[in-house]
Coordinates of all heavy atoms in Angstrom, one line a residue:
M1 N 9.9 3.8 6.4 CA 10.1 2.5 6.7 C 9.6 1.6 5.6 O 8.6 1.7 5.2 CB 9.5 2.0 8.0 CG 9.7 0.6 8.4 SD 9.1 0.2 10.0 CE 7.3 0.5 9.6
C2 N 10.6 0.7 5.0 CA 10.2 -0.2 4.0 C 10.9 -1.5 4.2 O 12.1 -1.5 4.2 CB 10.5 0.5 2.7 SG 10.0 -0.6 1.2
L3 N 10.1 -2.6 4.2 CA 10.7 -3.9 4.6 C 11.0 -4.7 3.3 O 11.6 -5.7 3.4 CB 9.8 -4.6 5.4 CG 9.4 -4.1 6.7 CD1 8.6 -5.0 7.6 CD2 10.6 -3.7 7.5
N4 N 10.4 -4.3 2.2 CA 10.6 -4.9 0.9 C 12.0 -4.6 0.3 O 12.4 -3.4 0.2 CB 9.5 -4.5 0.0 CG 9.4 -5.6 -1.2 OD1 9.9 -6.7 -1.1 ND2 8.8 -5.2 -2.3
W5 N 12.7 -5.6 -0.2 CA 14.1 -5.3 -0.8 C 14.1 -5.9 -2.2 O 13.7 -6.8 -2.6 CB 15.1 -6.1 0.1 CG 16.6 -5.9 -0.3 CD1 17.1 -6.5 -1.4 CD2 17.3 -5.0 0.1 NE1 18.4 -6.1 -1.5 CE2 18.6 -5.1 -0.5 CE3 17.4 -4.1 1.2 CZ2 19.7 -4.3 -0.2 CZ3 18.4 -3.3 1.5 CH2 19.7 -3.5 0.8
M18 N 24.8 5.6 11.3 CA 23.5 6.1 10.8 C 22.6 6.4 12.0 O 22.5 5.4 12.8 CB 22.8 5.2 9.8 CG 21.5 5.6 9.4 SD 20.7 4.4 8.3 CE 20.2 3.2 9.4
K19 N 22.1 7.7 12.1 CA 21.3 8.0 13.3 C 19.9 8.1 12.8 O 19.5 8.8 11.9 CB 21.8 9.3 13.9 CG 21.1 9.7 15.2 CD 21.7 10.9 15.7 CE 21.1 11.3 17.1 NZ 21.7 12.4 17.7
V20 N 19.0 7.5 13.6 CA 17.6 7.6 13.3 C 17.0 7.9 14.6 O 16.8 7.2 15.5 CB 16.9 6.2 12.8 CG1 15.5 6.4 12.7 CG2 17.7 5.7 11.7
D21 N 16.6 9.4 14.7 CA 16.2 9.9 15.9 C 17.2 9.7 16.9 O 18.3 10.2 16.9 CB 14.8 9.4 16.4 CG 14.0 10.3 17.4 OD1 14.5 11.4 17.6 OD2 12.9 9.8 17.9
L23 N 18.3 6.6 17.8 CA 19.0 5.4 17.5 C 20.2 5.6 16.7 O 20.3 6.5 15.8 CB 18.1 4.4 16.8 CG 16.8 3.8 17.5 CD1 16.0 3.0 16.5 CD2 17.3 3.0 18.7
F25 N 23.0 3.4 14.5 CA 23.5 2.1 13.8 C 25.0 2.3 13.3 O 25.3 3.4 12.8 CB 22.7 1.7 12.6 CG 21.2 1.4 13.1 CD1 20.2 2.3 12.9 CD2 20.9 0.1 13.5 CE1 18.9 2.0 13.3 CE2 19.6 -0.2 13.8 CZ 18.6 0.7 13.6
V28 N 27.0 0.7 8.6 CA 25.7 0.2 7.9 C 26.0 0.2 6.4 O 26.5 1.1 5.9 CB 24.5 1.2 8.2 CG1 23.4 0.9 7.4 CG2 24.3 1.3 9.7
L35 N 15.5 8.9 -5.0 CA 14.2 8.8 -4.4 C 13.4 10.0 -4.7 O 12.3 10.2 -4.0 CB 14.3 8.7 -2.8 CG 15.0 7.5 -2.2 CD1 15.2 7.5 -0.7 CD2 14.3 6.2 -2.6
V45 N 11.2 11.9 0.8 CA 11.8 10.8 1.6 C 13.3 10.9 1.3 O 13.8 11.0 0.2 CB 11.3 9.5 1.0 CG1 12.1 8.4 1.7 CG2 9.8 9.3 1.4
D46 N 14.1 10.9 2.4 CA 15.6 11.0 2.2 C 16.2 9.6 2.2 O 17.3 9.5 1.9 CB 16.2 11.7 3.4 CG 15.8 13.2 3.3 OD1 15.8 13.7 2.2 OD2 15.4 13.9 4.3
G47 N 15.6 8.6 2.9 CA 16.1 7.2 2.9 C 15.0 6.2 3.3 O 13.9 6.6 3.7
I48 N 15.4 5.0 3.2 CA 14.5 3.9 3.5 C 15.3 2.9 4.5 O 16.4 2.6 4.2 CB 14.2 3.0 2.2 CG1 13.4 3.9 1.3 CG2 13.4 1.7 2.6 CD1 13.0 3.2 0.0
I49 N 14.7 2.6 5.6 CA 15.3 1.7 6.6 C 15.0 0.3 6.2 O 13.7 -0.1 6.1 CB 14.8 1.9 8.1 CG1 15.0 3.4 8.4 CG2 15.4 1.0 9.0 CD1 14.4 3.8 9.6
G50 N 15.9 -0.5 5.9 CA 15.7 -1.8 5.4 C 15.5 -2.8 6.6 O 15.8 -2.6 7.6
A51 N 14.9 -3.9 6.2 CA 14.6 -5.0 7.3 C 15.8 -5.5 7.9 O 15.8 -5.9 9.0 CB 13.7 -6.1 6.6
N52 N 16.9 -5.6 7.1 CA 18.2 -6.1 7.7 C 18.7 -5.1 8.9 O 19.4 -5.7 9.7 CB 19.2 -6.2 6.6 CG 19.4 -4.9 5.8 OD1 18.6 -4.0 5.9 ND2 20.5 -4.9 5.0
Q53 N 18.4 -3.9 8.9 CA 18.6 -3.1 10.0 C 17.6 -3.2 11.0 O 18.0 -3.3 12.2 CB 18.9 -1.6 9.6 CG 20.0 -1.3 8.6 CD 21.4 -1.6 9.4 OE1 21.6 -1.4 10.5 NE2 22.3 -2.3 8.7
M54 N 16.4 -3.3 10.8 CA 15.4 -3.2 11.7 C 15.4 -4.6 12.5 O 15.1 -4.6 13.6 CB 14.0 -3.2 11.0 CG 13.8 -1.8 10.3 SD 12.1 -1.6 9.6 CE 11.1 -1.7 11.2
A55 N 15.9 -5.7 11.9 CA 15.9 -6.9 12.5 C 16.8 -7.0 13.7 O 16.8 -7.9 14.6 CB 16.3 -8.0 11.6
L57 N 16.6 -5.0 16.2 CA 15.8 -4.4 17.4 C 14.4 -4.9 17.4 O 14.0 -5.6 16.4 CB 15.9 -2.9 17.4 CG 17.2 -2.2 17.5 CD1 17.0 -0.7 17.1 CD2 17.8 -2.5 18.9
W59 N 10.5 -3.6 17.3 CA 9.9 -2.4 16.8 C 8.4 -2.5 17.1 O 7.6 -3.5 16.8 CB 10.2 -2.3 15.3 CG 11.5 -2.1 14.9 CD1 12.4 -3.0 14.8 CD2 12.2 -0.9 14.6 NE1 13.6 -2.6 14.4 CE2 13.6 -1.2 14.3 CE3 11.7 0.5 14.6 CZ2 14.5 -0.2 13.9 CZ3 12.7 1.4 14.2 CH2 14.0 1.1 14.0
L68 N 6.7 5.3 16.0 CA 7.5 4.2 15.7 C 8.5 4.1 16.9 O 9.3 5.0 17.1 CB 8.3 4.4 14.4 CG 9.1 3.2 14.0 CD1 8.5 1.9 13.8 CD2 9.9 3.7 12.7
Q93 N 17.3 -11.0 3.1 CA 17.5 -9.6 3.6 C 16.6 -9.3 4.8 O 16.4 -8.1 5.1 CB 17.2 -8.6 2.4 CG 18.2 -8.7 1.4 CD 19.6 -8.3 1.9 OE1 19.8 -7.7 2.9 NE2 20.7 -8.8 1.2
T113 N 5.7 -2.8 4.6 CA 5.2 -1.5 5.0 C 5.5 -0.4 4.0 O 5.3 0.8 4.2 CB 5.8 -1.1 6.3 OG1 7.3 -1.2 6.4 CG2 5.3 -2.0 7.5
G114 N 6.1 -0.9 2.9 CA 6.4 0.1 1.7 C 5.3 0.0 0.7 O 5.2 0.8 -0.3
W196 N 11.9 -10.2 15.5 CA 12.8 -11.0 14.6 C 13.5 -12.2 15.4 O 13.8 -13.1 14.9 CB 13.9 -10.2 13.8 CG 13.4 -9.7 12.5 CD1 13.5 -10.4 11.3 CD2 12.8 -8.4 12.3 NE1 13.0 -9.6 10.3 CE2 12.6 -8.4 10.8 CE3 12.5 -7.3 13.0 CZ2 12.0 -7.3 10.2 CZ3 11.9 -6.2 12.3 CH2 11.7 -6.2 10.9

Side-chain angles (χ1 to χ4, degrees):
M1 178 177 62
C2 179
L3 304 184
N4 195 23
W5 185 273
M18 180 180 72
K19 187 175 181 181
V20 181
D21 199 9
L23 292 176
F25 294 96
V28 178
L35 294 177
V45 175
D46 294 321
I48 297 171
I49 306 175
N52 52 347
Q53 289 301 315
M54 295 185 68
L57 298 168
W59 297 79
L68 176 65
Q93 292 294 339
T113 56
W196 270 271

